[in-house]
Amino acid sequence: MSFSISDQLRFTLFDVKKIKYKSRVIFDYIQPCCTIAYIKKGEVITTFEGKEYTAKAGDVMIHRPNKPFNVISKTDGIHYLFNINLNMSGESDFFSLYPLGKVIKIRDIALYEKQFDELRSIWLQETNDYRTVQSSFLVFSLINEIMESAKIGERRSSNEIYITDRFNNVLQYIEEHLGENVTRDELAQIHHMNPVYFSRAFKEIYGLTPMQMVKKLRLLQSKRLLETSDNSIEDIAMKCGFCDASHFNHAFRDSFQTSPNQYRKSIKHTKRSFIPTLSEK
């Protein structure tokens, strides 16, 4: 028996990121894609379609597209998440056809985290010729692990060794210090490397210098804050390590071809456009 994957699946990966927070409150959040959020640290109460769920470290939350959800956490937390569209047989959402539940306990936490780290590493490698293919394979591997966890709920022992990014701890350090004055020498010291050699080795993997990566992660964090918070532009600029609002505005516009204010307005408009449709159902 044979079949064509392309005839049945349509897949788009939008983003791969780690989020660290002191507390987190999101009400009636809607987005046009599916968010798969793994809880590395913390405990979250999430609501969906009138039901309340508790998700703890080692759990995955699946937030379905175009469906409002709440997320509330009063403790420190770290989430690993990726945003995707995965459709079956044309326009049918995969997670509607194959419901896996709102919260799923991952059976092999170490395996899932290693696969996610590799996905995130490849996602950030802008000059990798195989970035799209490798990212797709890893996403499907993560989804398969979620499906198997949901199906049997047991841990798997495995001797498989997965390659993790050489500089993953550097990326983690950058994300934890986005609001600070991070330098190349400081990052090189994490690996006890000469700064020039470190910069060259880092760029060979990601296609970006360490400081270019700092700027990229600051901008990605600023997008998330514009999407999920009501913080002022000045406050977001400071939290993400920009000198001032003017510097932030220039960097944001240069990267995304729109200003922070315009981007925030577009996100709010998108949310409002989904609410009438959902209320009519």
Side-chain angles (χ1 to χ4, degrees), residues 17-21 24 26 81 219-229 263:
K17 55 189 174 184
K18 295 184 178 181
I19 296 174
K20 183 177 181 180
Y21 56 86
R24 189 167 174 80
I26 301 175
L81 61 86
L219 287 167
L220 291 175
Q221 172 74 344
S222 72
K223 281 186 72 176
R224 184 185 72 82
L225 291 175
L226 288 168
E227 293 168 2
T228 61
S229 80
Y263 180 74

Side-chain angles (χ1 to χ4, degrees), residues 6-20:
S6 61
D7 286 345
Q8 298 186 42
L9 286 175
R10 191 175 68 181
F11 163 74
T12 305
L13 176 63
F14 296 103
D15 200 4
V16 181
K17 55 189 174 184
K18 295 184 178 181
I19 296 174
K20 183 177 181 180

Side-chain angles (χ1 to χ4, degrees), residues 264-274:
R264 171 173 272 171
K265 288 178 181 178
S266 71
I267 291 298
K268 289 182 178 179
H269 176 74
T270 300
K271 290 180 183 179
R272 287 196 301 267
S273 69
F274 281 119

Side-chain angles (χ1 to χ4, degrees), residues 98-126:
Y98 301 97
L100 297 177
K102 177 64 175 177
V103 176
I104 298 166
K105 182 69 177 177
I106 295 300
R107 60 179 182 167
D108 195 327
I109 292 173
L111 174 63
Y112 189 94
E113 291 182 2
K114 287 179 180 180
Q115 289 178 327
F116 184 91
D117 279 339
E118 189 173 0
L119 170 64
R120 181 168 166 274
S121 175
I122 291 171
W123 178 255
L124 293 171
Q125 295 175 16
E126 297 190 349

